[in-house]
Amino acid sequence: MTRSSDALFDALKQGLADIDARGLRRRRRTIDGANSAHMTVDGRAMIGFASNDYLGLAAHEAIRAALAEGASRYGAGSGGSHLLGGHSRAHAQLEDDLAAFSGGFVDDPRALYFSTGYMANLAVLTTLAGRGTLVFPDALNHASLIDGVRLSRAQTQIYPHADIDALDAMLDASRDETATKLIVTDSVFSMDGDIAPLARLVDVAEKYGAWLVVDDAHGFGVLGPQGRGALSACALRSPHLVYVGTLGKAAGVAGAFVCADATVIEWLVQRARPYIFTTASPPAVAHAVSASVKIIASDEGDQRRAHLASLIETTRAMLKRTRWLPVESRTAVQPLVIGGNDETVALAAALDAQGLWVPAIRPPTVPSGTSRLRISLSAAHTADDLARLDHALTTL
Ligand SMILES: *Cc1c(COP(=O)(O)O)cnc(C)c1O
């Protein structure tokens, strides 16, 4: 008889064999040196279309220098959680910078810095929602929002992707006047690159007395004037908005922030478990993010966004000429739907052989039958990089 401790081993081995049989095994690739458009991957020089470094800031000299300077000023680690001795001047300064930069949607904005976007989303949802709250998430929301909703134990009604009429009908049907209602959405959807109808979402939220949580992981730094984000891009204002921006994508460093009315933020400080029960990230990281936000807001940021916009237009035209199905996207996320897993993986491998790193996205990340290449553009790419990708896609 197998012991139950061995039964788990057997189940894991069987599970991994199933993953292989379905062509779904994921492998990590190791990058030597800095992550930028041109990099060394598993020892080979490659052009990367896999990162979320939309503005090409991850390897930026001034931000690296700020990180080093932050380390020499503040040391390596924070030493504690934010409420118990780990909150540094660098964190406080960054929160002020971020509230001023992205808080234009509310009268009295405040920002709270988190170690990761995943934790920021868990914090927002578990703190603002609970049993008795009605949560309305978009069907294509990011996993961190899904997990946050689950952990909140709120009642959930998922609305079909970007379907505001369906959402309106759901809110209309839930005539519980006393329950708190929370609509939750990505701004830019990470696997399709499309942008949520944020103006209509704010309208519908106001109509039914709901709050709206917007995860702008792929919009902060890229969308809106000076890259202030998706809310700023549509000039939206409401005291019932909660904004989450992440700082490891366009900002090129790490962490995330929640920006909202000061009352909401103070409540998170008091109650959010993913904020309270974790060591504050190194102050040097926050110091580097402050340097990054300055660049994002500057003329250099505008130039980088303009270059990225031109790369996006070139890519859209290029993907239309291939024999596969591009997804209509005006953002730096440009998907090309191939269909089956094996075909998608084979295509990614053929590109890889030509020194082009374009990740294959398969279920469960995307629905079955819609496996795709996900081309992520960065201001660090050149027109020549795209010409190489174009050549490969049209000759394969
Ligand atoms: C990347 C991402 C996150 C998580 O942010 P991290 O800082 O990487 O943990 C959250 N939401 C969306 C939509 C994302 O794309």
Side-chain angles (χ1 to χ4, degrees), residues 116-118 121 142 144 186 188 190 215 217-218 246 249 255-256:
T116 73
Y118 189 98
N121 281 336
H142 188 261
S144 56
D186 284 20
V188 178
S190 49
D215 176 351
H218 300 276
T246 69
K249 290 176 176 150

Coordinates of all heavy atoms in Angstrom, one line a residue, residues 116-118 121 142 144 186 188 190 215 217-218 246 249 255-256, ligand 1:
T116 N 4.4 44.7 -4.3 CA 4.1 44.2 -5.7 C 2.6 44.6 -6.0 O 1.8 44.8 -5.1 CB 4.2 42.6 -5.7 OG1 3.1 42.1 -5.0 CG2 5.5 42.1 -5.2
G117 N 2.3 44.5 -7.2 CA 0.9 44.8 -7.7 C 0.0 43.7 -7.2 O -1.2 44.0 -6.9
Y118 N 0.5 42.5 -7.1 CA -0.3 41.4 -6.7 C -0.8 41.7 -5.2 O -2.0 41.5 -4.9 CB 0.5 40.1 -6.7 CG -0.3 38.8 -6.4 CD1 -0.7 38.0 -7.5 CD2 -0.6 38.4 -5.2 CE1 -1.4 36.9 -7.3 CE2 -1.3 37.3 -4.9 CZ -1.7 36.5 -6.0 OH -2.4 35.4 -5.7
N121 N -3.4 44.6 -5.1 CA -4.8 44.2 -5.4 C -5.4 43.3 -4.3 O -6.6 43.5 -4.0 CB -4.7 43.4 -6.8 CG -4.7 44.4 -7.9 OD1 -5.0 45.5 -7.8 ND2 -4.2 43.9 -9.1
H142 N -7.2 40.4 -14.4 CA -5.9 39.8 -14.0 C -6.1 38.8 -12.8 O -6.9 39.1 -11.9 CB -4.9 40.9 -13.7 CG -3.5 40.4 -13.4 ND1 -3.0 40.2 -12.2 CD2 -2.5 40.1 -14.3 CE1 -1.7 39.8 -12.3 NE2 -1.4 39.7 -13.6
S144 N -4.5 38.5 -10.1 CA -4.4 39.1 -8.8 C -5.7 39.7 -8.4 O -6.0 39.7 -7.2 CB -3.3 40.1 -8.8 OG -3.5 41.1 -9.8
D186 N -9.4 45.7 -15.0 CA -8.1 46.1 -15.5 C -8.4 47.3 -16.4 O -9.5 47.5 -16.9 CB -7.5 45.0 -16.5 CG -6.9 43.8 -15.8 OD1 -7.2 43.6 -14.6 OD2 -6.2 43.1 -16.5
V188 N -5.9 48.3 -19.1 CA -5.5 47.6 -20.3 C -5.5 46.1 -20.0 O -4.8 45.7 -19.0 CB -4.1 48.1 -20.7 CG1 -3.6 47.3 -21.9 CG2 -4.0 49.6 -20.9
S190 N -4.3 42.5 -20.1 CA -2.9 42.1 -20.4 C -2.7 41.1 -21.5 O -1.6 41.0 -22.0 CB -2.3 41.6 -19.1 OG -3.1 40.6 -18.5
D215 N -7.3 48.7 -12.2 CA -5.9 48.2 -12.1 C -5.2 48.6 -13.4 O -5.5 48.1 -14.5 CB -5.9 46.6 -12.0 CG -4.5 46.0 -12.1 OD1 -3.6 46.7 -12.4 OD2 -4.4 44.8 -11.9
A217 N -2.0 48.5 -14.3 CA -0.7 47.9 -14.4 C 0.0 48.2 -15.7 O 1.2 48.5 -15.8 CB -0.7 46.4 -14.1
H218 N -0.8 48.1 -16.8 CA -0.2 48.3 -18.2 C -0.4 49.7 -18.7 O -0.1 50.0 -19.8 CB -0.8 47.3 -19.1 CG -0.5 45.9 -18.7 ND1 0.7 45.3 -19.0 CD2 -1.2 45.0 -18.0 CE1 0.6 44.0 -18.5 NE2 -0.5 43.9 -17.9
T246 N 1.1 49.9 -11.2 CA 2.3 49.0 -10.8 C 3.6 49.7 -11.3 O 3.5 50.5 -12.3 CB 2.2 47.6 -11.3 OG1 2.3 47.5 -12.7 CG2 0.9 47.0 -10.8
K249 N 6.5 47.6 -14.4 CA 6.3 47.5 -15.8 C 6.9 48.8 -16.5 O 8.1 48.9 -16.5 CB 4.9 47.3 -16.1 CG 4.5 45.8 -15.7 CD 3.1 45.4 -15.8 CE 3.0 43.9 -15.4 NZ 1.8 43.6 -14.8
G255 N 7.3 47.1 -7.5 CA 6.3 47.6 -6.5 C 5.1 48.1 -7.2 O 4.9 47.9 -8.4
A256 N 4.2 48.7 -6.4 CA 2.9 49.1 -6.9 C 2.4 50.2 -5.9 O 2.9 50.3 -4.8 CB 1.9 48.0 -7.0
Ligands
LIG1 C1 1.5 42.6 -13.6 C2 0.1 42.8 -13.2 C3 -0.2 42.8 -11.8 C4 0.8 42.5 -10.8 O1 1.8 43.4 -10.6 P1 3.2 43.0 -10.0 O2 3.8 44.2 -9.5 O3 3.9 42.3 -11.1 O4 2.9 42.0 -8.8 C5 -1.5 43.2 -11.5 N1 -2.4 43.5 -12.4 C6 -2.1 43.4 -13.7 C7 -3.2 43.7 -14.7 C8 -0.9 43.1 -14.2 O5 -0.6 43.0 -15.4

